[in-house]
Amino acid sequence: MQLDILAFGVHPDDVELSCSGTILSSINQGKKVGIIDLTRGELGTRGSAEIRDVEAANAAKILGVHHRENLHMADGFFEHSQENLLKIIKVIRSFKPSIILANAIEDRHPDHGRSAKLVADAAFLAGLRKIETVDEKGNQQEAFRPTNVFHYIQDRVLIPHFVVDITPYYETKMESIRAYTTQFYNTDLNEPNTYISSPQFLETVKGRDMMMGKRIGVMYAEGYLTEKTIGVNNLDHLIQITT
């Protein structure tokens, strides 16, 4: 199955928190979208890897993505290694997405920045034909390089290179985040408090998306950074709102 967009997150819930509005908008436009989690988030203070597997599956259903899988790298300890690069290269060559969404280039959690570079490097290397990989059936894979790698914004305040209006999809985005019942504020759980489990945390997510929206004159938006200059065919593609 070929996908138009492949969204990578180092932990289950990274994608939901940061780019699920874009995913929902893209699917509504007829795009095929998949999610790849690099780890199971097994070092998370709350819940367990097994519970997070279930939560990720529930969130995928809410978003309506066409595929989701986990590469089972080591949470907190995964390396920028040939082994991990090849895992991602194989996935990219399997689904041939034109766009990749990846973790923030730098962020509060050190896994996020390391994941950003790992995925971006793999996206480039996937286009080199002398790097040989095979699919699950043992068939030789063709070299393929996505057109764009866009890094979403997470905890740190980063200045976006462009933003995407997600206003019509905001409630569904929040529903997908709340699918991670062990990770965020939940009075029914007897779990340790964490940075993201406070009742204020999801309000800060909403505030971030509102500030991104304010930049382009809409209610909610998600911001992205890109190392590659992006272009438009004509100026009609720009959001025509005075701010």
Side-chain angles (χ1 to χ4, degrees), residues 89-238:
I89 289 169
K90 289 176 68 173
V91 169
I92 291 171
R93 289 177 172 180
S94 292
F95 294 107
K96 295 181 170 59
S98 59
I99 294 174
I100 281 180
L101 305 180
N103 281 102
I105 293 173
E106 62 97 4
D107 205 43
R108 171 183 175 270
H109 197 308
D111 279 2
H112 295 170
R114 286 191 295 127
S115 168
K117 180 166 176 53
L118 182 65
V119 172
D121 287 353
F124 181 85
L125 295 175
L128 301 181
R129 65 182 181 85
K130 290 187 178 180
I131 296 178
E132 298 183 358
T133 56
V134 295
D135 62 20
E136 294 180 352
K137 296 181 180 179
N139 299 316
Q140 193 79 19
Q141 291 183 310
E142 295 180 353
F144 175 85
R145 182 174 295 145
T147 305
N148 289 295
V149 176
F150 299 139
H151 296 274
Y152 45 79
I153 294 173
Q154 297 186 257
D155 192 71
R156 292 273 168 85
V157 178
L158 304 176
I159 304 301
H161 295 147
F162 69 93
V163 298
V164 177
D165 179 14
I166 62 165
T167 305
Y169 311 100
Y170 203 73
E171 291 306 318
T172 308
K173 169 179 177 162
M174 296 308 295
E175 183 183 355
S176 75
I177 294 171
R178 288 191 291 267
Y180 293 89
T181 56
T182 61
Q183 299 306 300
F184 304 109
Y185 183 66
N186 187 342
T187 57
D188 294 332
L189 296 181
N190 184 23
E191 292 269 14
N193 292 324
T194 67
Y195 178 74
I196 67 172
S197 72
S198 74
Q200 294 80 27
F201 179 76
L202 292 184
E203 290 301 311
T204 68
V205 173
K206 183 177 182 179
R208 177 199 63 197
D209 293 349
M210 290 182 73
M211 288 302 298
M212 293 293 176
K214 181 177 181 290
R215 289 174 174 266
I216 58 171
V218 301
M219 183 64 72
Y220 300 106
E222 291 170 338
Y224 295 89
L225 282 76
T226 173
E227 295 181 8
K228 175 181 175 180
T229 301
I230 59 172
V232 295
N233 291 321
N234 60 72
L235 298 182
D236 289 336
H237 289 173
L238 302 174

